[in-house]
Coordinates of all heavy atoms in Angstrom, one line a residue:
M136 N 2.3 -13.1 -29.7 CA 1.0 -12.9 -29.1 C 1.0 -12.3 -27.9 O 1.8 -12.6 -26.9 CB 0.4 -14.3 -29.0 CG -1.0 -14.4 -28.4 SD -1.5 -16.1 -28.5 CE -3.2 -15.9 -29.0
T137 N 0.2 -11.1 -27.6 CA 0.4 -10.4 -26.4 C -0.8 -10.9 -25.5 O -1.9 -11.3 -25.9 CB 0.2 -9.0 -26.6 OG1 -1.1 -8.7 -27.2 CG2 1.3 -8.4 -27.5
E138 N -0.5 -10.9 -24.3 CA -1.5 -11.4 -23.2 C -2.1 -10.1 -22.6 O -1.4 -9.2 -22.2 CB -0.8 -12.1 -22.2 CG -1.7 -12.8 -21.2 CD -0.8 -13.6 -20.2 OE1 0.0 -14.5 -20.6 OE2 -1.1 -13.5 -19.1
E139 N -3.4 -10.0 -22.6 CA -4.1 -8.9 -22.0 C -4.2 -9.0 -20.4 O -4.4 -10.1 -20.0 CB -5.5 -8.7 -22.6 CG -5.5 -8.3 -24.0 CD -6.9 -7.9 -24.4 OE1 -7.6 -7.2 -23.7 OE2 -7.2 -8.0 -25.6
L140 N -3.9 -7.9 -19.8 CA -4.0 -8.0 -18.4 C -5.4 -7.7 -17.9 O -6.1 -6.9 -18.5 CB -3.1 -6.8 -17.8 CG -1.6 -6.9 -18.0 CD1 -0.9 -5.7 -17.5 CD2 -1.1 -8.2 -17.4
T141 N -5.8 -8.3 -16.8 CA -7.0 -8.0 -16.1 C -7.1 -6.6 -15.5 O -5.9 -6.1 -15.3 CB -7.4 -9.1 -15.1 OG1 -6.5 -9.0 -14.0 CG2 -7.4 -10.4 -15.7
D142 N -8.2 -6.1 -15.2 CA -8.3 -4.8 -14.5 C -7.6 -5.0 -13.1 O -6.9 -4.0 -12.7 CB -9.8 -4.4 -14.3 CG -10.5 -4.0 -15.5 OD1 -9.7 -3.8 -16.6 OD2 -11.7 -4.0 -15.5
R143 N -7.6 -6.1 -12.4 CA -7.1 -6.2 -11.2 C -5.5 -6.2 -11.4 O -4.8 -5.6 -10.5 CB -7.5 -7.6 -10.5 CG -6.8 -7.8 -9.1 CD -7.4 -9.0 -8.6 NE -6.7 -9.4 -7.3 CZ -6.9 -8.9 -6.1 NH1 -7.9 -8.1 -5.9 NH2 -6.3 -9.3 -5.0
E144 N -5.0 -6.9 -12.3 CA -3.5 -6.9 -12.6 C -3.0 -5.5 -12.9 O -2.0 -5.1 -12.4 CB -3.2 -7.9 -13.7 CG -3.4 -9.3 -13.4 CD -3.3 -10.2 -14.6 OE1 -3.7 -9.9 -15.8 OE2 -2.9 -11.4 -14.4
I145 N -3.8 -4.8 -13.6 CA -3.4 -3.3 -14.0 C -3.4 -2.5 -12.6 O -2.5 -1.8 -12.4 CB -4.3 -2.8 -15.1 CG1 -4.1 -3.5 -16.4 CG2 -4.1 -1.3 -15.1 CD1 -5.2 -3.1 -17.4
R146 N -4.4 -2.7 -11.9 CA -4.5 -2.0 -10.6 C -3.3 -2.3 -9.7 O -2.8 -1.4 -9.1 CB -5.9 -2.4 -10.0 CG -6.2 -1.5 -8.8 CD -7.6 -2.0 -8.3 NE -8.0 -0.9 -7.3 CZ -8.9 -1.1 -6.4 NH1 -9.6 -2.3 -6.4 NH2 -9.3 -0.2 -5.5
L147 N -3.0 -3.6 -9.6 CA -1.8 -4.1 -8.8 C -0.6 -3.5 -9.1 O 0.3 -3.0 -8.4 CB -1.8 -5.5 -8.6 CG -2.9 -6.2 -7.8 CD1 -2.8 -7.7 -8.1 CD2 -2.7 -5.9 -6.4
K148 N -0.4 -3.4 -10.5 CA 0.9 -2.9 -11.1 C 0.9 -1.4 -10.8 O 2.0 -0.8 -10.4 CB 1.0 -3.1 -12.7 CG 1.3 -4.5 -13.0 CD 1.4 -4.6 -14.5 CE 1.7 -6.0 -14.9 NZ 3.2 -6.2 -15.1
R149 N -0.2 -0.7 -10.9 CA -0.2 0.8 -10.6 C 0.1 1.0 -9.1 O 0.9 1.9 -8.7 CB -1.6 1.4 -11.0 CG -1.7 2.8 -10.7 CD -3.0 3.5 -11.3 NE -4.2 2.6 -11.3 CZ -5.0 2.6 -10.3 NH1 -5.0 3.3 -9.3 NH2 -6.2 1.8 -10.4
F150 N -0.4 0.2 -8.3 CA -0.2 0.3 -6.9 C 1.3 0.1 -6.5 O 1.8 0.8 -5.7 CB -1.1 -0.5 -6.0 CG -2.5 -0.2 -6.0 CD1 -3.5 -1.1 -5.5 CD2 -3.0 1.0 -6.5 CE1 -4.8 -0.8 -5.5 CE2 -4.4 1.3 -6.5 CZ -5.2 0.5 -5.9
K151 N 1.9 -0.9 -7.2 CA 3.3 -1.2 -6.9 C 4.1 0.0 -7.3 O 5.0 0.4 -6.5 CB 3.7 -2.4 -7.7 CG 3.3 -3.7 -7.1 CD 3.8 -4.8 -8.0 CE 3.4 -6.2 -7.5 NZ 3.9 -7.3 -8.2
I152 N 3.9 0.6 -8.5 CA 4.7 1.8 -8.9 C 4.4 2.9 -7.9 O 5.4 3.6 -7.5 CB 4.3 2.1 -10.3 CG1 4.8 1.1 -11.3 CG2 4.8 3.7 -10.6 CD1 4.1 1.4 -12.7
Q153 N 3.2 3.2 -7.5 CA 2.9 4.3 -6.6 C 3.5 4.0 -5.3 O 3.9 5.0 -4.6 CB 1.4 4.5 -6.5 CG 0.8 5.0 -7.7 CD -0.7 5.0 -7.6 OE1 -1.4 4.2 -6.9 NE2 -1.3 6.0 -8.3
S154 N 3.6 2.7 -4.8 CA 4.3 2.4 -3.5 C 5.7 2.5 -3.5 O 6.2 3.0 -2.4 CB 3.9 0.9 -3.2 OG 2.5 0.8 -3.1
W155 N 6.4 2.3 -4.6 CA 7.8 2.4 -4.7 C 8.4 3.8 -5.0 O 9.5 4.1 -4.9 CB 8.5 1.4 -5.7 CG 8.7 0.1 -5.1 CD1 7.8 -1.0 -5.3 CD2 9.6 -0.3 -4.2 NE1 8.3 -2.1 -4.6 CE2 9.4 -1.8 -3.9 CE3 10.6 0.4 -3.5 CZ2 10.1 -2.4 -3.0 CZ3 11.4 -0.4 -2.5 CH2 11.2 -1.7 -2.3
R156 N 7.4 4.7 -5.5 CA 7.8 6.1 -5.9 C 7.0 7.1 -5.2 O 6.3 7.9 -5.7 CB 7.5 6.3 -7.4 CG 8.4 5.3 -8.2 CD 8.5 5.6 -9.7 NE 9.4 4.7 -10.3 CZ 9.2 4.0 -11.4 NH1 8.0 4.2 -12.0 NH2 10.0 3.2 -11.9
R157 N 7.1 7.0 -3.8 CA 6.3 7.9 -3.0 C 6.8 9.3 -2.8 O 6.0 10.3 -2.8 CB 6.3 7.3 -1.5 CG 5.7 6.0 -1.4 CD 4.2 6.0 -1.7 NE 3.5 7.0 -0.8 CZ 2.4 7.5 -1.0 NH1 1.6 7.1 -2.1 NH2 1.9 8.4 -0.3
G158 N 8.1 9.5 -2.7 CA 8.6 10.9 -2.5 C 9.5 10.9 -1.4 O 10.3 11.7 -1.2
T159 N 9.3 9.9 -0.5 CA 10.3 9.7 0.6 C 10.8 8.3 0.7 O 9.9 7.4 0.4 CB 9.6 10.1 2.1 OG1 8.6 9.1 2.4 CG2 9.2 11.5 2.1
K160 N 12.0 8.1 1.0 CA 12.6 6.8 0.9 C 11.9 5.9 2.0 O 11.8 4.8 1.8 CB 14.2 6.9 1.1 CG 14.8 5.6 0.8 CD 14.6 5.2 -0.6 CE 15.6 4.1 -1.0 NZ 15.3 3.7 -2.4
E161 N 11.7 6.5 3.1 CA 11.0 5.7 4.2 C 9.8 5.1 3.7 O 9.5 3.9 4.1 CB 10.8 6.7 5.5 CG 12.1 7.2 6.1 CD 12.6 8.4 5.5 OE1 12.0 8.9 4.5 OE2 13.7 8.9 6.0
M162 N 8.9 5.9 3.1 CA 7.7 5.3 2.7 C 7.8 4.3 1.5 O 7.0 3.4 1.3 CB 6.6 6.4 2.4 CG 6.1 7.1 3.6 SD 5.7 6.1 5.0 CE 4.4 5.0 4.3
D163 N 8.7 4.6 0.7 CA 9.2 3.6 -0.4 C 9.4 2.3 0.3 O 8.9 1.2 -0.3 CB 10.4 4.1 -1.2 CG 10.1 5.3 -2.1 OD1 9.0 5.7 -2.2 OD2 11.1 5.8 -2.6
L164 N 10.3 2.3 1.2 CA 10.6 1.0 1.9 C 9.5 0.4 2.8 O 9.6 -0.9 3.1 CB 11.9 1.3 2.8 CG 13.1 1.8 2.1 CD1 14.2 2.2 2.9 CD2 13.5 0.6 1.0
L165 N 8.5 1.1 3.2 CA 7.5 0.7 3.9 C 6.4 0.1 3.0 O 5.8 -1.0 3.2 CB 6.8 1.6 4.9 CG 7.6 1.9 6.1 CD1 7.1 3.0 6.8 CD2 7.7 0.7 7.0
L166 N 5.9 0.8 2.0 CA 4.9 0.4 1.2 C 5.3 -0.4 -0.1 O 4.6 -1.3 -0.5 CB 4.1 1.6 0.6 CG 3.4 2.5 1.7 CD1 2.7 3.7 1.0 CD2 2.5 1.6 2.5
G167 N 6.6 -0.2 -0.5 CA 6.9 -1.0 -1.7 C 7.0 -2.5 -1.6 O 6.5 -3.3 -2.3
P168 N 7.8 -3.0 -0.4 CA 7.8 -4.3 -0.2 C 6.4 -5.0 0.0 O 6.1 -6.1 -0.3 CB 8.7 -4.6 1.0 CG 9.5 -3.3 0.9 CD 8.7 -2.3 0.4
F169 N 5.6 -4.3 0.7 CA 4.2 -4.7 1.0 C 3.4 -4.9 -0.3 O 2.7 -5.8 -0.6 CB 3.4 -3.7 1.8 CG 2.0 -4.1 2.2 CD1 1.8 -5.1 3.2 CD2 0.9 -3.7 1.5 CE1 0.5 -5.5 3.5 CE2 -0.3 -4.0 1.9 CZ -0.5 -5.0 3.0
A170 N 3.6 -3.9 -1.3 CA 2.9 -4.0 -2.6 C 3.5 -5.1 -3.5 O 2.7 -5.7 -4.1 CB 3.1 -2.6 -3.3
D171 N 4.8 -5.4 -3.2 CA 5.4 -6.6 -4.0 C 4.9 -8.0 -3.4 O 5.0 -9.0 -4.2 CB 6.9 -6.5 -3.9 CG 7.6 -5.4 -4.8 OD1 6.8 -4.9 -5.6 OD2 8.7 -5.1 -4.6
G172 N 4.6 -8.0 -2.2 CA 4.2 -9.2 -1.5 C 2.7 -9.4 -1.3 O 1.9 -9.8 -2.1
P173 N 2.3 -9.2 -0.1 CA 0.9 -9.5 0.3 C -0.2 -8.7 -0.4 O -1.3 -9.2 -0.3 CB 0.8 -9.3 1.9 CG 2.0 -8.4 2.1 CD 3.0 -8.6 1.0
L174 N 0.2 -7.6 -1.1 CA -0.9 -6.8 -1.7 C -1.7 -7.6 -2.7 O -3.0 -7.5 -2.7 CB -0.3 -5.6 -2.4 CG -1.3 -4.7 -3.0 CD1 -2.0 -3.9 -1.9 CD2 -0.5 -3.6 -3.9
R175 N -1.1 -8.6 -3.4 CA -1.8 -9.3 -4.4 C -2.8 -10.3 -3.9 O -3.8 -10.7 -4.5 CB -0.8 -10.0 -5.3 CG -0.1 -11.2 -4.6 CD 0.9 -12.0 -5.4 NE 1.8 -12.8 -4.7 CZ 2.9 -12.3 -4.1 NH1 3.3 -11.1 -4.4 NH2 3.7 -13.1 -3.4
D176 N -2.7 -10.6 -2.5 CA -3.7 -11.5 -1.9 C -4.9 -10.8 -1.3 O -5.7 -11.5 -0.7 CB -2.9 -12.3 -0.8 CG -1.9 -13.2 -1.5 OD1 -2.0 -13.7 -2.6 OD2 -0.8 -13.4 -0.8
L177 N -4.8 -9.4 -1.3 CA -5.9 -8.8 -0.6 C -7.2 -8.8 -1.5 O -7.1 -8.8 -2.7 CB -5.6 -7.2 -0.4 CG -4.3 -7.0 0.5 CD1 -4.1 -5.4 0.6 CD2 -4.5 -7.6 1.9
D178 N -8.3 -8.8 -0.9 CA -9.5 -8.7 -1.5 C -9.9 -7.2 -2.1 O -9.1 -6.3 -1.7 CB -10.7 -9.2 -0.7 CG -10.9 -8.3 0.6 OD1 -10.6 -7.2 0.5 OD2 -11.6 -8.9 1.5
D179 N -10.8 -7.1 -2.9 CA -11.1 -5.8 -3.5 C -11.3 -4.7 -2.5 O -10.9 -3.6 -2.7 CB -12.3 -5.9 -4.4 CG -12.0 -6.7 -5.7 OD1 -10.8 -6.7 -6.0 OD2 -12.8 -7.2 -6.4
M180 N -12.0 -5.0 -1.3 CA -12.2 -3.9 -0.4 C -10.9 -3.5 0.3 O -10.8 -2.3 0.5 CB -13.2 -4.5 0.8 CG -14.3 -3.6 1.0 SD -15.7 -4.4 2.0 CE -15.1 -4.0 3.6
A181 N -10.0 -4.4 0.5 CA -8.7 -4.0 1.1 C -7.9 -3.3 0.1 O -7.2 -2.4 0.5 CB -8.0 -5.3 1.6
L182 N -8.0 -3.6 -1.1 CA -7.4 -2.8 -2.2 C -7.8 -1.5 -2.3 O -7.1 -0.5 -2.5 CB -7.4 -3.6 -3.6 CG -6.6 -4.9 -3.8 CD1 -6.8 -5.4 -5.2 CD2 -5.2 -4.6 -3.6
D183 N -9.2 -1.3 -2.1 CA -9.7 0.0 -2.1 C -9.1 0.8 -0.9 O -8.7 2.0 -1.0 CB -11.2 0.0 -1.9 CG -11.9 -0.5 -3.1 OD1 -11.3 -0.5 -4.2 OD2 -13.1 -0.9 -2.9
A184 N -8.9 0.3 0.3 CA -8.4 0.8 1.4 C -6.9 1.2 1.1 O -6.5 2.3 1.6 CB -8.4 -0.1 2.6
F185 N -6.1 0.4 0.5 CA -4.8 0.6 0.2 C -4.7 1.7 -0.7 O -3.8 2.7 -0.7 CB -4.1 -0.6 -0.4 CG -2.6 -0.5 -0.5 CD1 -1.8 -0.5 0.6 CD2 -2.0 -0.2 -1.8 CE1 -0.3 -0.4 0.5 CE2 -0.7 -0.1 -1.9 CZ 0.2 -0.2 -0.8
E186 N -5.6 1.8 -1.8 CA -5.6 2.9 -2.8 C -5.8 4.2 -2.0 O -5.2 5.3 -2.3 CB -6.7 2.7 -3.8 CG -6.7 3.7 -4.8 CD -7.6 3.4 -6.0 OE1 -8.6 2.6 -5.8 OE2 -7.5 4.0 -7.1
A187 N -6.8 4.2 -1.0 CA -7.0 5.4 -0.3 C -5.8 5.9 0.5 O -5.5 7.0 0.6 CB -8.2 5.3 0.6
L188 N -5.0 5.0 1.1 CA -3.8 5.2 1.8 C -2.7 5.8 0.9 O -2.1 6.7 1.3 CB -3.3 3.9 2.3 CG -2.2 3.9 3.4 CD1 -2.8 4.4 4.7 CD2 -1.6 2.5 3.6
L189 N -2.8 5.4 -0.4 CA -1.8 6.0 -1.3 C -1.9 7.4 -1.6 O -1.0 8.2 -2.0 CB -1.7 5.2 -2.6 CG -1.3 3.7 -2.6 CD1 -1.4 3.0 -3.8 CD2 0.3 3.7 -2.1
H190 N -3.2 7.9 -1.3 CA -3.5 9.3 -1.6 C -3.2 10.2 -0.4 O -3.2 11.4 -0.5 CB -5.0 9.5 -1.9 CG -5.3 8.9 -3.2 ND1 -5.0 9.5 -4.4 CD2 -6.1 7.7 -3.5 CE1 -5.4 8.7 -5.4 NE2 -6.1 7.6 -4.8
E191 N -2.6 9.6 0.7 CA -2.3 10.5 1.8 C -0.9 11.0 1.7 O 0.0 10.4 1.1 CB -2.4 9.5 3.1 CG -3.8 9.0 3.4 CD -4.7 10.2 3.9 OE1 -4.2 11.3 4.2 OE2 -5.9 9.9 4.1
N192 N -0.5 11.9 2.5 CA 0.7 12.6 2.6 C 1.8 11.7 3.3 O 1.4 10.9 4.2 CB 0.6 13.8 3.4 CG 1.9 14.6 3.6 OD1 2.7 14.2 4.5 ND2 2.1 15.7 3.0
D193 N 3.0 11.6 2.7 CA 4.0 10.6 3.2 C 4.4 10.9 4.6 O 4.6 10.0 5.4 CB 5.2 10.7 2.4 CG 5.3 10.0 1.1 OD1 4.2 9.3 0.9 OD2 6.2 10.0 0.4
N194 N 4.4 12.2 5.1 CA 4.8 12.5 6.4 C 3.7 12.0 7.4 O 4.1 11.4 8.4 CB 4.9 14.0 6.6 CG 6.2 14.5 6.0 OD1 7.1 13.9 5.8 ND2 6.1 15.7 5.4
D195 N 2.4 12.1 7.0 CA 1.3 11.4 7.9 C 1.5 10.0 7.9 O 1.3 9.4 9.0 CB 0.0 12.0 7.4 CG -0.3 13.4 7.5 OD1 0.3 14.0 8.4 OD2 -1.1 14.0 6.9
L196 N 1.6 9.4 6.8 CA 1.8 7.9 6.6 C 2.9 7.4 7.5 O 2.8 6.4 8.1 CB 2.0 7.5 5.2 CG 0.7 7.5 4.3 CD1 1.2 7.2 2.9 CD2 -0.2 6.6 4.9
Y197 N 4.0 8.0 7.5 CA 5.2 7.6 8.3 C 4.8 7.7 9.7 O 5.2 6.7 10.5 CB 6.4 8.5 8.0 CG 7.6 7.9 8.7 CD1 8.2 6.8 8.3 CD2 8.1 8.5 9.8 CE1 9.4 6.3 9.0 CE2 9.1 8.1 10.6 CZ 9.8 6.9 10.1 OH 10.9 6.5 10.8
I198 N 4.2 8.8 10.2 CA 3.9 8.9 11.7 C 2.9 7.8 12.0 O 3.0 7.2 13.0 CB 3.4 10.3 12.0 CG1 4.5 11.3 11.8 CG2 2.7 10.4 13.3 CD1 4.1 12.8 11.8
W199 N 1.8 7.7 11.2 CA 0.8 6.7 11.4 C 1.4 5.3 11.5 O 1.0 4.5 12.3 CB -0.3 6.8 10.4 CG -1.1 8.0 10.4 CD1 -1.1 9.0 11.3 CD2 -1.8 8.5 9.3 NE1 -1.9 10.0 11.0 CE2 -2.3 9.8 9.8 CE3 -2.1 8.1 8.0 CZ2 -3.1 10.6 8.8 CZ3 -2.8 8.8 7.2 CH2 -3.4 10.1 7.6
T200 N 2.3 4.9 10.6 CA 2.8 3.6 10.5 C 3.7 3.3 11.6 O 3.7 2.2 12.2 CB 3.6 3.4 9.2 OG1 2.8 3.7 8.0 CG2 4.1 2.0 9.0
S201 N 4.5 4.3 12.1 CA 5.5 4.1 13.1 C 4.9 4.3 14.6 O 5.3 3.6 15.5 CB 6.7 4.9 12.9 OG 6.4 6.2 12.9
A202 N 4.0 5.2 14.7 CA 3.5 5.7 16.0 C 2.0 5.4 16.2 O 1.6 5.5 17.4 CB 3.9 7.1 16.3
G203 N 1.2 5.1 15.2 CA -0.2 5.0 15.3 C -0.8 6.2 15.2 O -0.3 7.3 14.7
G204 N -2.1 6.3 15.7 CA -2.9 7.5 15.7 C -3.5 7.9 14.3 O -3.9 9.0 14.1
E205 N -3.5 6.9 13.5 CA -4.1 7.1 12.2 C -5.6 7.3 12.2 O -6.2 6.8 13.2 CB -3.8 6.0 11.2 CG -4.4 4.6 11.5 CD -3.8 3.8 12.5 OE1 -2.7 4.2 13.0 OE2 -4.3 2.8 13.0
P206 N -6.1 7.8 11.2 CA -7.6 7.9 11.1 C -8.2 6.6 11.0 O -7.6 5.7 10.5 CB -8.0 8.7 9.9 CG -6.6 9.4 9.4 CD -5.6 8.5 10.1
D207 N -9.4 6.4 11.6 CA -10.1 5.0 11.6 C -10.2 4.4 10.2 O -10.1 3.2 10.1 CB -11.5 5.1 12.2 CG -11.5 5.5 13.7 OD1 -10.4 5.3 14.4 OD2 -12.5 5.9 14.2
R208 N -10.3 5.2 9.2 CA -10.5 4.7 7.8 C -9.2 4.0 7.3 O -9.4 3.1 6.4 CB -10.9 5.7 6.9 CG -9.8 6.8 6.7 CD -10.3 7.9 5.7 NE -9.3 9.0 5.5 CZ -8.9 9.9 6.3 NH1 -9.6 10.1 7.4 NH2 -8.0 10.7 5.9
H209 N -8.2 4.1 8.0 CA -6.8 3.6 7.6 C -6.4 2.5 8.6 O -5.3 1.9 8.3 CB -5.8 4.5 7.4 CG -6.0 5.5 6.2 ND1 -6.4 5.1 5.0 CD2 -5.9 6.9 6.2 CE1 -6.5 6.2 4.3 NE2 -6.3 7.2 4.9
T210 N -7.0 2.3 9.7 CA -6.5 1.5 10.7 C -6.2 0.0 10.3 O -5.1 -0.6 10.4 CB -7.4 1.4 11.8 OG1 -7.5 2.7 12.5 CG2 -7.0 0.4 13.0
E211 N -7.2 -0.6 9.6 CA -7.1 -2.1 9.1 C -5.9 -2.3 8.2 O -5.1 -3.2 8.3 CB -8.4 -2.6 8.6 CG -8.4 -4.0 8.3 CD -9.7 -4.6 7.9 OE1 -10.7 -4.0 8.3 OE2 -9.7 -5.6 7.2
I212 N -5.8 -1.4 7.1 CA -4.8 -1.6 6.2 C -3.4 -1.3 6.7 O -2.5 -1.9 6.5 CB -5.0 -0.8 4.8 CG1 -4.1 -1.2 3.8 CG2 -4.9 0.7 5.0 CD1 -4.3 -2.6 3.2
L213 N -3.4 -0.2 7.6 CA -2.1 0.0 8.2 C -1.7 -1.0 9.2 O -0.5 -1.3 9.3 CB -2.1 1.4 8.9 CG -1.9 2.6 8.0 CD1 -2.1 3.9 8.8 CD2 -0.6 2.6 7.4
N214 N -2.6 -1.7 9.9 CA -2.3 -2.8 10.8 C -1.7 -4.0 9.9 O -0.7 -4.6 10.3 CB -3.5 -3.3 11.4 CG -3.8 -2.5 12.7 OD1 -3.0 -1.7 13.1 ND2 -5.0 -2.6 13.1
Q215 N -2.1 -4.2 8.6 CA -1.5 -5.2 7.8 C -0.2 -4.8 7.3 O 0.7 -5.7 7.3 CB -2.5 -5.4 6.5 CG -3.8 -6.0 6.9 CD -4.7 -6.2 5.7 OE1 -4.2 -6.6 4.6 NE2 -6.0 -6.0 5.9
V216 N 0.1 -3.5 7.1 CA 1.3 -3.1 6.7 C 2.4 -3.3 7.9 O 3.5 -3.7 7.7 CB 1.3 -1.6 6.1 CG1 2.8 -1.1 5.9 CG2 0.6 -1.5 4.9
R217 N 1.9 -2.9 9.0 CA 2.8 -3.0 10.2 C 3.0 -4.4 10.5 O 4.2 -4.8 10.9 CB 2.0 -2.4 11.5 CG 2.0 -0.9 11.5 CD 1.4 -0.5 12.8 NE 0.8 0.9 12.8 CZ -0.3 1.2 12.6 NH1 -1.4 0.4 12.7 NH2 -0.7 2.6 12.5
A218 N 2.1 -5.3 10.4 CA 2.3 -6.7 10.7 C 3.4 -7.3 9.6 O 4.2 -8.1 10.0 CB 0.9 -7.5 10.6
F219 N 3.1 -6.9 8.3 CA 4.1 -7.3 7.3 C 5.5 -7.0 7.7 O 6.5 -7.9 7.6 CB 3.7 -6.8 6.0 CG 4.7 -7.1 4.9 CD1 4.8 -8.3 4.3 CD2 5.6 -6.1 4.5 CE1 5.7 -8.7 3.2 CE2 6.5 -6.5 3.4 CZ 6.6 -7.7 2.9
H220 N 5.7 -5.8 8.3 CA 7.1 -5.5 8.6 C 7.4 -5.7 10.1 O 8.5 -5.3 10.5 CB 7.2 -3.8 8.4 CG 7.3 -3.5 6.9 ND1 8.4 -3.7 6.2 CD2 6.2 -2.9 6.1 CE1 8.1 -3.3 4.9 NE2 6.9 -2.8 4.9
R221 N 6.5 -6.3 10.7 CA 6.7 -6.6 12.2 C 7.0 -5.4 13.1 O 7.9 -5.3 13.9 CB 7.8 -7.6 12.3 CG 7.5 -8.9 11.7 CD 8.6 -10.0 12.0 NE 8.2 -11.3 11.4 CZ 8.7 -11.8 10.4 NH1 9.7 -11.2 9.7 NH2 8.3 -12.9 9.9
I222 N 6.1 -4.3 12.8 CA 6.2 -3.1 13.6 C 5.1 -3.2 14.6 O 3.9 -3.4 14.3 CB 5.9 -1.9 12.6 CG1 7.0 -1.8 11.6 CG2 5.9 -0.6 13.5 CD1 6.7 -0.8 10.5
D223 N 5.5 -3.1 15.8 CA 4.5 -3.1 16.9 C 3.9 -1.8 17.3 O 4.4 -0.7 17.2 CB 5.3 -3.6 18.3 CG 5.6 -5.0 18.1 OD1 5.0 -5.8 17.3 OD2 6.5 -5.5 18.9

């Protein structure tokens, strides 16, 4: 008997794969563990923000995550990623 996945579960699995297969190892290591952990506890609005983040260029994401200066639309979700990794 197969168990059907909910739309949310499918979305989370897709985000995990996209987070671990970014193109740069640095972003794999920043987004992958976040996707494996606290991502599942985010509400739908935060998941939308994470999905938008996944569409950004890895070089920009790395700079924004490590040094800040990200566009306002990504501030909240990047703050959650930074807090998860204890990046000040």
Side-chain angles (χ1 to χ4, degrees):
M136 181 177 223
T137 60
E138 188 177 315
E139 288 193 37
L140 297 175
T141 66
D142 289 342
R143 181 178 174 85
E144 290 169 328
I145 292 167
R146 191 176 190 200
L147 289 170
K148 284 181 179 266
R149 183 170 33 93
F150 291 168
K151 284 182 183 186
I152 290 167
Q153 290 172 330
S154 296
W155 277 108
R156 297 190 177 134
R157 293 295 307 164
T159 65
K160 192 64 168 175
E161 293 84 0
M162 289 316 302
D163 290 352
L164 295 174
L165 286 169
L166 295 181
F169 183 81
D171 286 345
L174 186 68
R175 71 180 162 270
D176 297 327
L177 299 182
D178 62 23
D179 288 338
M180 233 166 89
L182 285 179
D183 291 344
F185 190 77
E186 183 173 23
L188 194 70
L189 291 174
H190 292 289
E191 296 289 351
N192 177 286
D193 278 1
N194 292 328
D195 292 337
L196 282 175
Y197 183 76
I198 291 168
W199 297 337
T200 305
S201 59
E205 69 276 351
D207 291 341
R208 68 185 180 276
H209 295 312
T210 299
E211 189 172 331
I212 192 67
L213 280 174
N214 282 341
Q215 291 180 40
V216 172
R217 285 186 201 104
F219 175 76
H220 288 288
R221 296 184 175 107
I222 299 170
D223 292 339

